[in-house]
Amino acid sequence: MRYDDSPPSPESASSVSPDRRWFTRRSGLAVGAAVLAPTLLAGWVLVQLTTGAGADDARPPRIVMPAAAPSPTPSSSAAPATPQAKGPLAGKTVVIDPGHNTGNFKHTSEIDKKVDIGTNRKECDTTGTTTNAGYMEAEFTLDVSRRLRTVLEAKGVKVVLTHEADRAWGPCIDERARIGNEAAADAVVSVHADGVSSGNRGYHIILPAKVKGGAADTAKIVGPSRDLGERIGSNFARTTGSAPANYLGSGTGLVVRDDLGGLNLSTRPKVFIECGNMRDAKDAALLTSPEWRQKAAQGIADGIVGFLGG
Ligand code: ZN
């Protein structure tokens, strides 16, 4: 996302730093939206003020990486041929949403276009963050998603990825939600890593708030999504050894948000996971490790499998 496109904020001033402008823009948006959902927003605003965190948020990558970075995990196939499903979870469908797209930063005008998220309008997608050395969140999310697919398919689950960087940019957040809905997924997980200041560490799971507006109505998924999220969080902690985030969620590793289109538009149980903070050197050392990413995928898979009763 480009800072220049930020909607006007009463606090904005050209003299402030880019980080500060980003920060105030987010706060300005929160204040505007608070008219609609004061109680839910109160918590969210606090999070924003404290950390500037946001799963759909992004800063432009500082270091431009090749668009098609090789993945250490070979993809079994672009069109996931579900092997004649055998295993304890045959008949179940899981949609995995690798956050962002490595091509997004080259298509800022496309991804900046607003889409309808029911309760609001929001950018189609964002670039995602990077480590300080330039490892892109979008590379991380796709790698973990592919590893997760392999683990789940071994259990007989039919797995659908929302994309495999097999398109120039996107999908938009409304399409990401639609893919889960149209697949009638038993569970949907959107994989991310956060990009907040150094010293902020750990994972957190983002759960859908109860929202209603336009095409958004999460009443039926709030409960099962929490169950899914709690299971993923505890298993992720166990397999990776990571602690719940030390900068939001009060140490629970769980955060409820009402501003994410990917959650608001979902009709299927869905959570986001922020696996760690790419801007913290210690977390980045984990996120860039293929061995650690395998543990991360295993933990997420174990949580999903438990949720599905496998
Ligand atoms: Zn993200």
Side-chain angles (χ1 to χ4, degrees), residues 4 42 101 146 160 185 212 216 219 223 271 279 294:
D4 308 344
N101 180 321
R146 285 172 165 160
V160 177
K212 188 169 171 61
V271 299
R279 295 289 184 181
Q294 186 64 33

mmCIF file of all heavy atoms in Angstrom, residues 4 42 101 146 160 185 212 216 219 223 271 279 294:
data_model
loop_
_atom_site.group_PDB
_atom_site.id
_atom_site.type_symbol
_atom_site.label_atom_id
_atom_site.label_comp_id
_atom_site.label_asym_id
_atom_site.label_seq_id
_atom_site.Cartn_x
_atom_site.Cartn_y
_atom_site.Cartn_z
ATOM 1 N N ASP A 4 0.692 7.544 0.132
ATOM 2 C CA ASP A 4 0.080 8.692 -0.535
ATOM 3 C C ASP A 4 -1.420 8.506 -0.726
ATOM 4 O O ASP A 4 -2.145 9.464 -0.862
ATOM 5 C CB ASP A 4 0.699 8.879 -1.917
ATOM 6 C CG ASP A 4 2.198 8.916 -1.845
ATOM 7 O OD1 ASP A 4 2.720 9.100 -0.724
ATOM 8 O OD2 ASP A 4 2.839 8.762 -2.866
ATOM 9 N N ALA A 42 -13.519 -0.552 20.274
ATOM 10 C CA ALA A 42 -12.712 -0.032 21.375
ATOM 11 C C ALA A 42 -11.476 -0.890 21.568
ATOM 12 O O ALA A 42 -10.366 -0.389 21.678
ATOM 13 C CB ALA A 42 -13.535 0.015 22.651
ATOM 14 N N ASN A 101 0.397 -11.750 -1.811
ATOM 15 C CA ASN A 101 0.859 -12.374 -3.052
ATOM 16 C C ASN A 101 2.191 -11.695 -3.357
ATOM 17 O O ASN A 101 2.298 -10.463 -3.244
ATOM 18 C CB ASN A 101 -0.181 -12.115 -4.168
ATOM 19 C CG ASN A 101 0.208 -12.720 -5.516
ATOM 20 O OD1 ASN A 101 1.368 -12.701 -5.908
ATOM 21 N ND2 ASN A 101 -0.774 -13.238 -6.219
ATOM 22 N N ARG A 146 1.641 -24.507 1.729
ATOM 23 C CA ARG A 146 1.911 -25.742 0.978
ATOM 24 C C ARG A 146 2.283 -26.883 1.917
ATOM 25 O O ARG A 146 1.872 -28.029 1.729
ATOM 26 C CB ARG A 146 3.033 -25.497 -0.037
ATOM 27 C CG ARG A 146 2.553 -24.687 -1.233
ATOM 28 C CD ARG A 146 3.701 -24.294 -2.127
ATOM 29 N NE ARG A 146 3.232 -23.842 -3.441
ATOM 30 C CZ ARG A 146 3.946 -23.105 -4.270
ATOM 31 N NH1 ARG A 146 5.180 -22.720 -3.942
ATOM 32 N NH2 ARG A 146 3.458 -22.747 -5.439
ATOM 33 N N VAL A 160 -7.917 -26.902 -0.538
ATOM 34 C CA VAL A 160 -7.945 -25.893 -1.602
ATOM 35 C C VAL A 160 -7.138 -24.693 -1.120
ATOM 36 O O VAL A 160 -7.375 -24.185 -0.018
ATOM 37 C CB VAL A 160 -9.389 -25.450 -1.908
ATOM 38 C CG1 VAL A 160 -9.401 -24.346 -2.961
ATOM 39 C CG2 VAL A 160 -10.242 -26.639 -2.353
ATOM 40 N N ALA A 185 -16.198 -25.099 2.783
ATOM 41 C CA ALA A 185 -15.094 -25.588 3.610
ATOM 42 C C ALA A 185 -15.552 -25.869 5.037
ATOM 43 O O ALA A 185 -16.345 -25.126 5.604
ATOM 44 C CB ALA A 185 -13.974 -24.557 3.626
ATOM 45 N N LYS A 212 -22.650 -7.734 11.288
ATOM 46 C CA LYS A 212 -23.753 -7.886 10.339
ATOM 47 C C LYS A 212 -23.851 -6.605 9.534
ATOM 48 O O LYS A 212 -23.886 -5.515 10.086
ATOM 49 C CB LYS A 212 -25.063 -8.148 11.093
ATOM 50 C CG LYS A 212 -26.235 -8.522 10.183
ATOM 51 C CD LYS A 212 -27.398 -9.027 11.046
ATOM 52 C CE LYS A 212 -28.669 -9.223 10.241
ATOM 53 N NZ LYS A 212 -28.561 -10.207 9.155
ATOM 54 N N ALA A 216 -22.053 -9.322 4.905
ATOM 55 C CA ALA A 216 -21.363 -9.846 6.092
ATOM 56 C C ALA A 216 -22.360 -10.216 7.188
ATOM 57 O O ALA A 216 -23.192 -9.390 7.573
ATOM 58 C CB ALA A 216 -20.381 -8.808 6.625
ATOM 59 N N ALA A 219 -22.654 -14.282 12.500
ATOM 60 C CA ALA A 219 -23.254 -14.845 13.723
ATOM 61 C C ALA A 219 -23.026 -16.349 13.836
ATOM 62 O O ALA A 219 -22.723 -16.863 14.922
ATOM 63 C CB ALA A 219 -24.745 -14.534 13.756
ATOM 64 N N GLY A 223 -18.743 -18.781 16.988
ATOM 65 C CA GLY A 223 -18.467 -19.847 17.960
ATOM 66 C C GLY A 223 -17.506 -20.890 17.418
ATOM 67 O O GLY A 223 -16.450 -21.152 18.014
ATOM 68 N N VAL A 271 -10.286 -18.546 10.670
ATOM 69 C CA VAL A 271 -9.395 -17.715 11.484
ATOM 70 C C VAL A 271 -8.196 -17.293 10.642
ATOM 71 O O VAL A 271 -7.901 -17.890 9.615
ATOM 72 C CB VAL A 271 -8.871 -18.467 12.738
ATOM 73 C CG1 VAL A 271 -10.030 -18.880 13.650
ATOM 74 C CG2 VAL A 271 -8.008 -19.669 12.362
ATOM 75 N N ARG A 279 9.487 -8.354 11.704
ATOM 76 C CA ARG A 279 10.392 -7.224 11.958
ATOM 77 C C ARG A 279 11.214 -7.400 13.236
ATOM 78 O O ARG A 279 11.999 -6.515 13.583
ATOM 79 C CB ARG A 279 9.581 -5.923 12.054
ATOM 80 C CG ARG A 279 8.889 -5.543 10.756
ATOM 81 C CD ARG A 279 9.892 -5.081 9.716
ATOM 82 N NE ARG A 279 9.249 -4.614 8.494
ATOM 83 C CZ ARG A 279 9.899 -4.182 7.436
ATOM 84 N NH1 ARG A 279 11.223 -4.179 7.442
ATOM 85 N NH2 ARG A 279 9.260 -3.784 6.373
ATOM 86 N N GLN A 294 8.043 -25.933 8.969
ATOM 87 C CA GLN A 294 7.406 -27.250 8.990
ATOM 88 C C GLN A 294 6.692 -27.473 10.327
ATOM 89 O O GLN A 294 5.578 -27.997 10.376
ATOM 90 C CB GLN A 294 8.456 -28.348 8.744
ATOM 91 C CG GLN A 294 7.864 -29.733 8.608
ATOM 92 C CD GLN A 294 6.948 -29.848 7.391
ATOM 93 O OE1 GLN A 294 7.179 -29.205 6.367
ATOM 94 N NE2 GLN A 294 5.885 -30.652 7.501
#
